Amino acid sequence: MTYPKAQLHHSLPLLLICDNIRDPGNLGTILRSAAGAGCSKVLLTKGCVDAWEPKVLRAGMGAHFQVPIINNLEWETVPNYLPPASRVFVADNCGLYAQALMSNKASDHGWVCDRRFLKFRKYEEEEEDLETGARKNWLPEIEVQNYDLDWTEAPAAVVVGGETHGVSLESLQLAESTGGKRLLIPVVPGVDSLNSAMAASILLFEGKRQLRIKAEHLSRDRSYH
């Protein structure tokens, strides 16, 4: 498939990975935001709804013909589609809770994580070293940062998970292996996590903003020489 030259011209070193996005309306909206932000491509892992399903097409409003979409990927093949030196960032409202659990101070943060991370935590607690009986911490320990701090110094891929199953363990492992982080969009206590499409839109356009500022600074520096 060929894509509009204007879209390719404005394409950014910003890539989206959809992880277990199963709602057609959400996926279509996410694709529409990815096209609007100028993503270079969108990767869909196995478990996502088919990008070409009619409800996804309707919600996408033409996005399918504006940004390359690669469907039905196994996690082990995802790195093959990332630019060299890419860093993977995970949209994860559980990041601060994960850090707090490691220091046993979850209550200090005044909020708790949703059920998706608690599933990870349950498995983590159940896994023990068979020889020593010690608990094994297999959940990747990834640094957390607010979404509006700089994370676009290298080609960036953002993982957004579905609302039912959340992000997969494989996405966290990929973020850890590439030096990525958890990106936290703070919400006030008592408010549930954001809709997946809303979170994706916020992060993609924040990435676009950061890249625009970098380009402006580079252009200004060149004009001085």
Side-chain angles (χ1 to χ4, degrees):
M1 185 181 295
T2 58
Y3 296 90
K5 290 183 178 179
Q7 185 76 14
L8 296 176
H9 176 72
H10 289 96
S11 180
L12 300 172
L14 184 62
L15 186 147
L16 178 65
I17 303 173
C18 294
D19 182 13
N20 279 316
I21 303 292
R22 301 187 179 185
D23 181 87
N26 275 347
L27 182 57
T29 302
I30 288 170
L31 295 175
R32 189 176 178 182
S33 292
C39 277
S40 59
K41 69 180 73 168
V42 179
L43 308 182
L44 274 61
T45 61
K46 283 193 172 181
C48 289
V49 62
D50 183 4
W52 298 93
E53 197 264 359
K55 291 182 180 178
V56 181
L57 284 166
R58 282 197 294 271
M61 295 292 290
H64 293 69
F65 309 104
Q66 301 288 326
V67 60
I69 301 167
I70 303 173
N71 225 349
N72 206 33
L73 292 175
E74 298 281 2
W75 271 105
E76 57 265 27
T77 67
V78 168
N80 299 334
Y81 295 90
L82 302 179
S86 291
R87 298 176 70 190
V88 175
F89 298 86
V90 178
D92 187 1
N93 68 315
C94 301
L96 290 179
Y97 184 62
Q99 283 191 338
L101 282 171
M102 294 168 192
S103 62
N104 295 317
K105 294 182 180 179
S107 59
D108 292 351
H109 292 275
W111 61 285
V112 296
C113 182
D114 61 29
R115 291 184 296 277
R116 294 169 295 187
F117 185 81
L118 294 179
K119 293 177 184 176
F120 279 145
R121 184 63 180 171
K122 178 177 182 293
Y123 297 143
E124 181 184 4
E125 288 176 343
E126 290 176 351
E127 184 164 341
E128 295 184 352
D129 189 297
L130 296 178
E131 293 183 2
T132 66
R135 186 186 304 168
K136 294 170 65 178
N137 182 17
W138 56 263
L139 190 67
E141 297 184 14
I142 307 171
E143 184 180 345
V144 182
Q145 75 171 48
N146 273 8
Y147 78 102
D148 54 352
L149 300 178
D150 188 17
W151 47 270
T152 57
E153 62 271 13
V158 177
V159 180
V160 175
E163 295 177 42
T164 302
H165 297 276
V167 293
S168 63
L169 176 62
E170 291 86 352
S171 71
L172 298 175
Q173 292 170 335
L174 184 58
E176 181 183 47
S177 67
T178 60
K181 299 179 182 180
R182 299 175 187 258
L183 297 179
L184 180 71
I185 303 174
V187 295
V188 299
V191 176
D192 197 4
S193 59
L194 295 177
N195 168 278
S196 296
M198 182 66 72
S201 299
I202 290 172
L203 293 176
L204 292 176
F205 278 90
E206 171 61 22
K208 179 182 177 69
R209 183 192 70 84
Q210 293 182 15
L211 290 168
R212 176 178 55 80
I213 290 173
K214 286 183 174 66
E216 290 174 352
H217 288 171
L218 181 61
S219 177
R220 192 176 304 121
D221 291 342
R222 285 175 176 170
S223 67
Y224 291 151
H225 297 291

